[in-house]
Amino acid sequence: MPENKNRIVVIIVIGVLIIGNVFFALNYYFVSKDLQEIKSTESKTQLNTKIVDFASLFIKKVLQANTEVDFETRLSLENAVRDLNDPEVMAEWQNFTNSKTEADAQASVKKLLGILITKIQK
């Protein structure tokens, strides 16, 4: 009879341990899923910040400039574009910097700013 009690106690303990493992595995799964969402949101926030910083710099230093843009400003803009690591923005930036006429440059600026706004909305 005492052997049956020991067996029942062992079965109960094993059952409790299995239930505990299932509980903690489910909690781990949901917490890791939440963590992935948080990391994704953080990454998107950082990208949006970079886009807004570049757009702000571009507007202040290029669009609102009364004189020709100096080398240091061009370099900082180029670095800011590269920091975005976005091929679409980079391609339009290249179109802008390689513009031969003022009309081409204006069209590229419109496209570039449109792309930046679209990237922020996503």
Side-chain angles (χ1 to χ4, degrees):
M1 192 71 162
E3 193 173 302
N4 278 343
K5 286 185 180 182
N6 285 342
R7 180 177 260 175
I8 291 172
V9 168
V10 169
I11 290 173
I12 291 173
V13 168
I14 290 174
V16 168
L17 290 174
I18 290 173
I19 291 171
N21 283 343
V22 168
F23 172 77
F24 288 119
L26 287 173
N27 275 342
Y28 174 79
Y29 172 76
F30 291 122
V31 167
S32 67
K33 195 172 180 179
D34 288 345
L35 180 60
Q36 287 176 344
E37 288 179 29
I38 290 169
K39 284 182 179 180
S40 174
T41 302
E42 179 184 6
S43 172
K44 186 62 178 165
T45 301
Q46 288 175 347
L47 178 62
N48 284 347
T49 300
K50 288 178 182 181
I51 290 171
V52 168
D53 289 345
F54 168 72
S56 176
L57 182 65
F58 182 76
I59 290 168
K60 287 178 187 172
K61 299 294 184 174
V62 176
L63 298 181
Q64 295 177 343
N66 294 328
T67 61
E68 189 174 324
V69 178
D70 64 356
F71 176 76
E72 297 225 1
T73 302
R74 285 187 219 153
L75 185 61
S76 64
L77 287 165
E78 184 77 25
N79 288 335
V81 167
R82 291 187 188 283
D83 194 34
L84 294 177
N85 200 24
D86 187 296
E88 186 180 12
V89 174
M90 189 64 182
E92 196 54 47
W93 173 255
Q94 293 298 325
N95 287 341
F96 170 70
T97 56
N98 295 330
S99 297
K100 302 294 182 209
T101 65
E102 188 175 330
D104 289 342
Q106 287 177 357
S108 291
V109 166
K110 289 176 188 176
K111 286 181 186 175
L112 180 62
L113 292 176
I115 291 169
L116 293 173
I117 295 302
T118 303
K119 298 286 181 185
I120 291 173
Q121 291 176 348
K122 289 183 181 177

